[in-house]
Structures are given as structure tokens and as C-alpha cells.
Amino acid sequence: MNNRLGVFICHCGHNIAGSVDVKRVAEIISRERDVFVATEYIYMCSSPGQDLLEKSIKEHNLTGVVVAACSPTLHETTFRNAASRAGINPYRLEIANIREQCSWPHYANPEEATRKAIIIIRAMLEKVRRNSILYPLKIKITPKVLILGGGVSGIQAALDIADAGYEVYLVEKESSIGGRMVELSETFPTLDCPQCILTPKMTELAQNPKIHLMAYSELESISGYVGAFNVKIKHKQTYVNWDLCNGCGSCIIKCPAKAPSEFDHMLGKRKAIFVPFPQAVPNKPRIDRDNCLYFKKGICRICEKVCDKNAIEFDQQERYTEVEVGAILVATGFKLYDISQIGEYGYGKFKDVVDAFQFERLLSASGPTGGIPKRPSDGKIPRRVAFIQCVRSRDPEKGVAYCSRICCMYTSKQALIYKQQVPDGEAFVFYIDIRTNGKGYEEFYTRCRDEAGVVYIRGKIARIIEDDGKLELYGVDTLTGRQLRMKVDLVVLAPAMMPSDGAKELASKLRIPIDEYGWVKEAHLKLRPFESVNSGIYIAGACQYPKDITDTVAQASGAAAKIIGLFSRAELMKDPLIARIDEEVCVGCGYCVEACPYDAINLDDKRRLAAVNPALCEGCGGCASACPSKAIMLTNTTPEQILNMVFHSTERI
């Protein structure tokens, strides 16, 4: 091919032009071989900048383009679309990153930044000269989605996708959907009843013919790729045939065995055969074999005797369902930091030290105390309650460095509801900083402080001891510098929000990354917040990082919209910049198979040659770096291109 190349250099305001002499760079690059136009513009990504690119391509009959600008993560697609509109193959356009890799790290040294910009652009010119003309790969899409997690985010996304006409498989590890939201007493800042908000949606979901609800189930395995994932779902043993059960509740009434209630966070009791809460969906019981008298001692079986539908199955086994879906949404939620590991606060040792969820259940009308807050130790109504915020949040030495975001608000809500239930009671909130960054949040905090009389003390509690039926707190008021010593009847801790149990193992199955704390990591925090790096796998809600209900629902609908957009096409156009294998050189060693994080490479058992699944390959290049015989390489990133980029980019500098 006779190359006719163009180079377009972006000022990016002062981000690039503040250290790189873009006019000088354009002048030097204009003298490079095959370069027919080299120009600069203040914002190449703007509409005028794209118009300049398209006009120059047509006017100079260009066959390849280098745009020297910011990271290709941001605007590579923008510029490739512009090149395509102008009539050249989009894969004959490359981005020279002279912002993140040049201007920013050398901002204090303009001469070095300018020199390095020239080197980077020359390197990309060498690459473009040898770029092949490519076309996107076409992948058929199965317009069904698997949603992992039945909390408010999973429910919202399922309803949105089903309303668009697509089938949904919703998998929930507990025996009812609803997640953490149904455990709450009220929601801030409006003090709505969470059950009144959520349970109609739960019922709507269960009745939607497009949604297949799989409660008390887990993802067993996954294979395939975007558009065609093959997933295997494990249905755990409930020991009740839900297809036969009509939810009459006779078995629960007659069951003689009781156990602590997980839904009430171990503050109340439930039967050994139970539904988690009255509005559960599905409203079918399961048997807790650890507390069932039949499984423990071989006696009882009363539930079996009173069941008119013969739904009790003590010999029930795990079963599996396999489905094919085009996309997967992860909405696995969160848990609270295990405060039993915090010795200085005495949780587990002192019965009247509770965490935020336990206090929610004490405040809830459906909770173990009927909504009247009572001390777990003696059932008395506490007259003085201390709320301690940032328990292992914003604590990089002992806990986690991040802010859990919602603790300030739910603590204020709990203190307000306590004051409504116990008007003569005293509520003290110990905080580091008050963060009220949502609609109506600051007003709600002001209401709690000024109208309800909640006392806010900026300070840290160092330790708690028990003295004569009271809890004695020791700490410091950081505004006055004075030592604190206070006796209260009840302490409520606001622990850090953490990824839910099993999140790390699930991420491993899905081949998606997590951050240093275990939260599921998005493809790009600003530009692709709903997507993981593994194509076809999306994220929503508090599995990504701490969120309130408002943000959770918004992200769920956003992720649903992305999935609906994916399903709106019969075929998916996939980037062709993937690995390819030279079969004449491949020796079948298998190193590339081990190096691939996407399971996109397999060894052909008969021919003992590696083969790339183009639908799975994400073009990361790990295989090429691992191959000892150089038989595998990335399309448009060949060894010849790389060597020329290295050897010729520094000439004449």
C-alpha cells in the first residue's frame, strides 16, 4: 500500500499545549515520509476538530491517520468513527498518547515533553504504516440475561429488562429476594417504609412471565462469551418442593424447633422450617437442617405430617439448571464489617453493643420488639443511646481507607426514629465528619440535629467497658480537645460496608477483576461505570462500592439500559484486534493457554496446536508475551511493527 498519512495534534486546552510545543511538533512531523498533512487544533475531540479530521482525509486522500491526543481509552472510538465517515478503514487510525504518557509526567520540563511527543508520534506512524485493513467480528446474541442478586438493584434491572421484552433469569442465594433493603425500618430522607416501596416490585417480579426467579440458588459455572454465555445454576436443598407447596404455613405453625433469626440479625427467633419474613418472595418455606429435629436426632417430621400437599422432601438433593444467556448482571450487594473483630468496642462480649442492622430490626415494626427499641440484655427501653460512626471506615490502619458513604445518613435516621419512639430519651452521635451529599440529605441532618434534639459530638471513641449494667465510653472530643467519658444504655455501631460473602469467588468464576477491598471493578469509572472489563458482564448496586438506595436503583436502570441496547441488535460487532496464531510456527506448548485470563485459547487435542476463540479474546497480549516461539501475536501489533516503532521513532532527535 502507498501510504498517505495525516497527523493531527490536539492541544487539549493546556493539558498538552501547556508543556508540549505543539506547533514545533507539527512542523517536525510534517517532514516525515508518507506524511501529507500535519496540523494542530485546540480540541480535536470537539465537533470542529472532527470536521477538520474528516475534511483533511478527503482533501489529501489519506490512507492512514495518527491523532496525537489523550489516552485511547477516552476517544479512540470517537476518532475511528470520524475516520470511517471520511472513507478510510477505522483500524488505519491510531492514537499517540501525548497527554498521560508525555505532557502530564513532564509538565515541568517542556523541552523534554516536546521531544518525547515527537518520539511517540513517530512510533505510531510506524505502526500505522503496517496496519492491516480490518473489519469487526460478528457474534450472534442470545437475548436473555442472567442477574446475580435479588436485592433492590437486581429487582429494578430485572423489571426494566423484562419490560423491554427480554427474558431474565434472576438468581438469589437466599430463599427470598429483597436483599438488605427489606431489613430496614425506614428509608432516609423521606422516612418511607421500605417494605411498602419494595414488596410491590418483588411481587411484580414474581408474576412477570418474562422473569424466571431462582431463589436459594447460586452460580455453579460459566463458559462462553458475550452474546452466548452458558451458565450452570445450582439449586440448593430447601427440603420443600416449592412446586407443590402452596405457602399455607401449617408446617411453620406446628414446628416445635426454634433457632435465631438471620433476618432479625440473631435478635429474634424463627422456626426450623421458615420463611425469612412475612412478605418473602417466593413465600415458600425451607428447612434449616442444622436446627431441624429430624436431621439432628431422627425424630419429629411433624411438618411432613401436617402438609396436605406432600411438599416436604427430607431426601431432596441439589439440582442444576443450564441456560444460555447473552449478558450477565452482577448485583450481589454488600455486608457490614465483622465487628466481632473489634475488641475495644466489646461487640459479642457486651449484649447491648449492636451494629446498625441489628438496630434497624429493633426499630422495625416487623422486628423482634415490634418497633419499640429495647436492650437485648434485659428488654428494657434504653434512655441514653450512643451512635458511633466510621467503625473501621476511613481507617486504613485497622479497617478500610474508604468512606462507606451512607453511614452518616442512616445513623441520623436511626437517631431520629429512636427519639420519636422514646421522646424523653437522649441520642448522641459520635462522628468524624458529617457527609450529606444527596438530595434532601442536608435538610434531613439539620432536622435531626435542630428539631429532634440529636446531639452530635465530633470525636472518636477509643474503648467501651461495662459497669453496673451501663456501657461506659471513653474517647476524645476533637473539636475541644477534651477527654470524653459517658455512660449510656445502648451503643449502636456503624461499621464499614464490605463486599458480600462470596463476591471474590464469584468474580473469579466470571473472570472479572476486583479492587484491593474486594469490590467488583468497573471497566472505566467515568465512561463505563456499568460494565466490567469482560464483555457482556455488567455491574449494578453496592457490589461496586458503597451506595444508597437512590444511586443503587439509578445504576440498576442504567445497566439494564446497556443490556437492552446490546439485545436490540441481532449481532454484536466485536473489535477485531485480537490474537492470531501462525500454525506453521506453533509447537503446542500451551503457555499461551495458561497466560490467557479470558480462557480464549485452547489446544487442539488432535493437531496439538493452539486455537483462539475470537469471541472470547480481548486482545490483552498476555499470550504473545508468553509464547516462546513467537507463534502468537496481536493483529496490527506484530513484532515487525513493534521493532520498527522502537528503532525508527528516535531517529533525528
Side-chain angles (χ1 to χ4, degrees):
M1 176 185 290
N2 293 322
N3 285 304
R4 297 178 62 87
L5 307 181
V7 178
F8 302 85
I9 306 166
C10 182
H11 291 227
C12 197
H14 289 291
N15 281 293
I16 293 173
S19 61
V20 174
D21 187 342
V22 292
K23 292 186 181 296
R24 179 183 164 201
V25 171
E27 181 185 349
I28 292 174
I29 292 298
S30 69
R31 299 195 291 267
E32 292 292 310
R33 66 184 174 90
D34 302 331
V35 174
F36 283 75
V37 58
T39 187
E40 31 83 22
Y41 188 73
I42 185 168
Y43 291 113
M44 279 303 303
C45 62
S46 66
S47 292
Q50 294 180 60
D51 290 342
L52 171 64
L53 177 68
E54 294 179 43
K55 182 179 178 181
S56 298
I57 290 172
K58 295 174 181 177
E59 182 180 334
H60 296 279
N61 195 26
L62 301 180
T63 62
V65 170
V66 172
V67 178
C70 54
S71 166
T73 302
L74 294 175
H75 290 301
E76 184 177 65
T77 301
T78 300
F79 293 124
R80 282 186 170 167
N81 288 340
S84 183
R85 291 194 298 270
I88 69 172
N89 187 273
Y91 298 97
R92 293 275 298 164
L93 179 145
E94 292 290 346
I95 304 295
N97 185 349
I98 62 169
R99 189 178 76 170
E100 287 86 348
Q101 295 180 354
C102 179
S103 173
W104 284 356
H106 304 291
Y107 208 83
N109 192 340
E111 187 62 32
E112 180 63 24
T114 301
R115 179 178 179 275
K116 187 174 180 180
I118 295 169
I119 293 172
I120 293 172
I121 295 170
R122 282 178 173 169
M124 298 317 295
L125 282 169
E126 289 296 331
K127 186 175 189 303
V128 168
R129 288 187 179 103
R130 294 163 179 81
N131 270 4
S132 300
I133 292 175
L134 303 175
Y135 299 96
L137 305 171
K138 294 182 179 180
I139 302 171
K140 286 194 66 175
I141 297 174
T142 301
K144 300 177 182 180
V145 63
L146 172 72
I147 297 179
L148 300 170
V152 63
S153 58
I155 291 170
Q156 183 66 47
L159 291 172
D160 287 350
I161 295 168
D163 286 345
Y166 300 107
E167 283 193 67
V168 177
Y169 295 90
L170 191 145
V171 174
E172 166 57 46
K173 68 178 181 179
E174 301 298 337
S175 56
S176 171
I177 58 174
R180 296 297 189 186
M181 184 174 170
V182 292
E183 298 175 3
L184 304 180
S185 56
E186 295 179 15
T187 60
F188 60 79
T190 53
L191 297 183
D192 291 307
C193 165
Q195 292 78 16
C196 299
I197 299 171
L198 189 59
T199 51
K201 285 184 174 289
M202 293 164 59
T203 303
E204 181 185 352
L205 183 147
Q207 295 173 349
N208 193 309
K210 290 286 185 180
I211 301 175
H212 308 279
L213 176 56
M214 299 177 175
Y216 208 54
S217 302
E218 295 177 355
L219 176 68
E220 178 70 10
S221 63
I222 176 175
S223 61
Y225 45 85
V226 57
F229 291 108
N230 295 296
V231 294
K232 186 177 183 180
I233 308 301
K234 179 176 74 173
H235 303 276
K236 297 181 286 187
Q237 298 150 296
T238 61
Y239 304 105
V240 178
N241 187 327
W242 284 357
D243 293 330
L244 297 177
C245 177
N246 62 4
C248 69
S250 297
C251 54
I252 300 174
I253 295 171
K254 296 295 183 179
C255 178
K258 290 186 177 181
S261 168
E262 295 84 358
F263 184 76
D264 285 329
H265 290 264
M266 317 311 277
L267 295 177
K269 295 286 187 179
R270 58 155 173 85
K271 297 293 185 71
I273 184 169
F274 68 102
V275 292
F277 54 97
Q279 306 97 330
V281 174
N283 204 282
K284 306 291 180 71
R286 73 174 179 90
I287 294 176
D288 170 14
R289 65 175 296 149
D290 291 335
N291 290 286
C292 173
L293 295 177
Y294 172 72
F295 284 110
K296 288 176 67 176
K297 301 179 180 179
I299 59 174
C300 190
R301 299 180 76 127
I302 291 175
C303 55
E304 185 179 46
K305 296 172 185 175
V306 300
C307 181
D308 295 334
K309 300 296 182 180
N310 297 317
I312 307 299
E313 297 179 350
F314 288 110
D315 59 350
Q316 188 182 80
Q317 300 298 312
E318 293 175 347
R319 58 187 181 87
Y320 297 87
T321 299
E322 294 188 24
V323 295
E324 183 173 307
V325 296
I328 297 172
L329 175 63
V330 182
T332 50
F334 72 97
K335 67 176 182 179
L336 295 183
Y337 191 97
D338 182 5
I339 57 176
S340 65
Q341 305 299 314
I342 307 175
E344 63 266 31
Y345 289 161
Y347 180 82
K349 180 180 178 183
F350 308 140
K351 290 183 178 181
D352 295 326
V353 177
V354 299
D355 70 18
F357 265 123
Q358 288 179 309
F359 198 60
E360 287 286 344
R361 298 311 302 151
L362 292 176
L363 294 175
S364 175
S366 64
T369 58
I372 305 300
K374 296 180 180 179
R375 287 168 30 124
S377 63
D378 54 17
K380 293 181 179 179
I381 296 175
R383 297 299 166 183
R384 302 188 95 201
V385 179
F387 297 85
I388 303 176
Q389 296 190 178
C390 295
V391 177
R392 294 299 192 257
S393 287
R394 304 177 66 188
D395 186 358
E397 293 182 359
K398 296 181 179 179
V400 295
Y402 56 79
C403 168
S404 292
R405 299 185 72 214
I406 66 171
C407 315
C408 291
M409 289 304 299
Y410 75 60
T411 296
S412 294
K413 176 200 71 175
Q414 290 176 344
L416 176 63
I417 298 172
Y418 165 75
K419 289 285 289 181
Q420 291 173 343
Q421 296 288 359
V422 188
D424 60 340
E426 296 179 278
F428 302 91
V429 176
F430 293 90
Y431 69 97
I432 297 177
D433 295 294
I434 296 295
R435 296 183 170 180
T436 55
N437 61 340
K439 184 176 181 180
Y441 287 9
E442 181 68 20
E443 296 89 333
F444 184 82
Y445 158 65
T446 302
R447 174 186 170 191
C448 296
R449 184 192 61 199
D450 296 344
E451 296 180 22
V454 177
V455 179
Y456 287 82
I457 301 171
R458 193 177 191 278
K460 287 280 285 183
I461 297 301
R463 66 189 178 102
I464 299 172
I465 65 170
E466 195 172 47
D467 180 32
D468 193 25
K470 298 280 187 178
L471 295 168
E472 193 163 1
L473 283 60
Y474 293 84
V476 62
D477 184 326
T478 56
L479 288 180
T480 64
R482 295 179 179 176
Q483 296 294 314
L484 286 172
R485 185 176 176 181
M486 177 185 293
K487 285 190 175 184
V488 297
D489 300 310
L490 183 71
V491 172
V492 183
L493 306 179
M497 290 175 67
M498 303 288 292
S500 62
D501 290 331
K504 184 176 181 180
E505 292 76 12
L506 178 63
S508 178
K509 288 181 181 179
L510 297 173
R511 302 189 301 275
I512 58 177
I514 55 176
D515 66 17
E516 64 268 38
Y517 304 109
W519 301 108
V520 176
K521 199 169 184 179
E522 65 289 323
H524 191 285
L525 185 60
K526 297 180 178 66
L527 300 181
R528 296 173 63 194
F530 306 140
E531 303 166 65
S532 75
V533 297
N534 195 351
S535 296
I537 298 181
Y538 300 83
I539 53 180
C543 68
Q544 183 189 20
Y545 60 84
K547 295 184 180 73
D548 60 14
I549 294 171
T550 302
D551 288 350
T552 294
V553 171
Q555 191 187 19
S557 288
K562 297 291 287 187
I563 294 169
I564 292 168
L566 173 68
F567 289 171
S568 66
R569 297 163 288 178
E571 293 180 322
L572 174 67
M573 309 300 282
K574 189 178 187 298
D575 198 318
L577 296 173
I578 60 174
R580 59 184 177 84
I581 292 172
D582 185 342
E583 295 187 355
E584 293 185 0
V585 180
C586 178
V587 297
C589 65
Y591 288 145
C592 57
V593 177
E594 297 176 10
C596 180
Y598 301 100
D599 293 338
I601 307 176
N602 292 301
L603 281 181
D604 187 312
D605 292 334
K606 293 182 179 179
R607 299 195 300 158
R608 291 299 299 172
L609 295 176
V612 176
N613 184 330
L616 282 174
C617 180
E618 293 291 333
C620 69
C623 53
S625 63
C627 179
S629 57
K630 305 304 176 188
I632 191 166
M633 63 192 74
L634 294 183
T635 305
N636 278 355
T637 312
T638 64
E640 180 188 8
Q641 286 177 293
I642 294 171
L643 289 173
N644 278 281
M645 290 168 69
V646 173
F647 292 147
H648 298 305
S649 61
T650 56
E651 292 177 356
R652 303 175 305 283
I653 290 294

